[in-house]
Amino acid sequence: MKFSVTVTLKKDVLDPQGKVVENTLKNMGMTDLKSIRQGKHFEIEVNENNITEAEKKVDDMCKKLLVNLIIEDYKINKIL
Amino acid sequence: MKFSVTVTLKKDVLDPQGKVVENTLKNMGMTDLKSIRQGKHFEIEVNENNITEAEKKVDDMCKKLLVNLIIEDYKINKIL
């Protein structure tokens, strides 16, 4: 069973990497750019056919390693 | 208008960072993990109300800076 996990910085947390990308794009002439924020993306495949169990396992991985819950939010989606 | 962009390594490209995360999770006892691949995620807001134009601008940013088309794929989604 396959899931995608998107990890983003919380709204009020500074995103220096995103800021650099934003400035670079603006310097390249993309003046319509309002804001850009960068995050992480994971594609996780688990050996588990029960969807509730599988999602719990992915959630566990996020909490234990992938996500810093103090400054980051995350969202898990099932991939068909 | 807001878009999310997901950048992933192409299927046949080695993902050393994902591999390290995979090994770490397995060493932590998550034996049900089959595979994990890491990518990038951007949230982009543009000053443009025409959806076709806005999407074209985001696509342009991807091609010119955000994505390495030789080794990466990308997907643009509108955020409501």
Side-chain angles (χ1 to χ4, degrees):
Chain A
M1 207 164 263
K2 235 174 161 177
F3 295 87
S4 83
V5 176
T6 305
V7 182
T8 48
L9 283 167
K10 286 187 180 167
K11 203 165 63 20
D12 296 326
V13 177
L14 261 183
D15 175 15
Q17 205 178 354
K19 209 72 198 160
V20 169
V21 174
E22 184 177 326
N23 291 340
T24 308
L25 283 169
K26 281 182 177 160
N27 287 338
M28 287 167 78
M30 320 257 183
T31 44
D32 288 324
L33 177 64
K34 197 164 163 199
S35 77
I36 183 165
R37 282 177 82 78
Q38 190 166 356
K40 283 179 287 184
H41 173 86
F42 296 98
E43 264 176 44
I44 303 176
E45 201 172 349
V46 284
N47 290 321
E48 171 67 65
N49 292 320
N50 180 313
I51 182 157
T52 323
E53 276 301 308
E55 214 172 321
K56 219 182 112 194
K57 271 171 190 163
V58 173
D59 191 69
D60 218 34
M61 291 175 195
C62 291
K63 290 210 173 105
K64 285 191 181 151
L65 183 73
L66 306 178
V67 182
N68 178 349
L69 290 168
I70 300 170
I71 55 165
E72 292 172 330
D73 286 324
Y74 68 103
K75 218 163 34 187
I76 299 172
N77 288 304
K78 171 114 182 56
I79 302 177
L80 299 175
Chain B
M1 206 162 265
K2 234 175 164 177
F3 295 87
S4 83
V5 176
T6 305
V7 182
T8 48
L9 284 167
K10 287 187 179 165
K11 203 166 59 31
D12 296 326
V13 178
L14 260 183
D15 174 15
Q17 204 177 355
K19 209 73 199 158
V20 169
V21 174
E22 185 177 325
N23 290 340
T24 309
L25 282 169
K26 281 182 178 161
N27 287 338
M28 288 167 77
M30 321 258 184
T31 44
D32 288 324
L33 177 64
K34 196 164 164 199
S35 78
I36 183 165
R37 282 177 81 80
Q38 190 165 355
K40 284 180 288 183
H41 173 88
F42 296 98
E43 265 176 43
I44 303 176
E45 200 170 349
V46 285
N47 291 320
E48 172 67 64
N49 292 320
N50 180 313
I51 181 156
T52 323
E53 277 299 308
E55 213 172 320
K56 218 182 115 194
K57 271 170 191 164
V58 173
D59 192 69
D60 218 34
M61 292 175 195
C62 289
K63 289 209 173 105
K64 285 191 179 150
L65 182 72
L66 305 179
V67 182
N68 178 348
L69 291 168
I70 301 170
I71 55 165
E72 292 172 329
D73 287 324
Y74 68 104
K75 217 162 39 185
I76 300 172
N77 288 304
K78 170 116 182 56
I79 302 179
L80 300 175

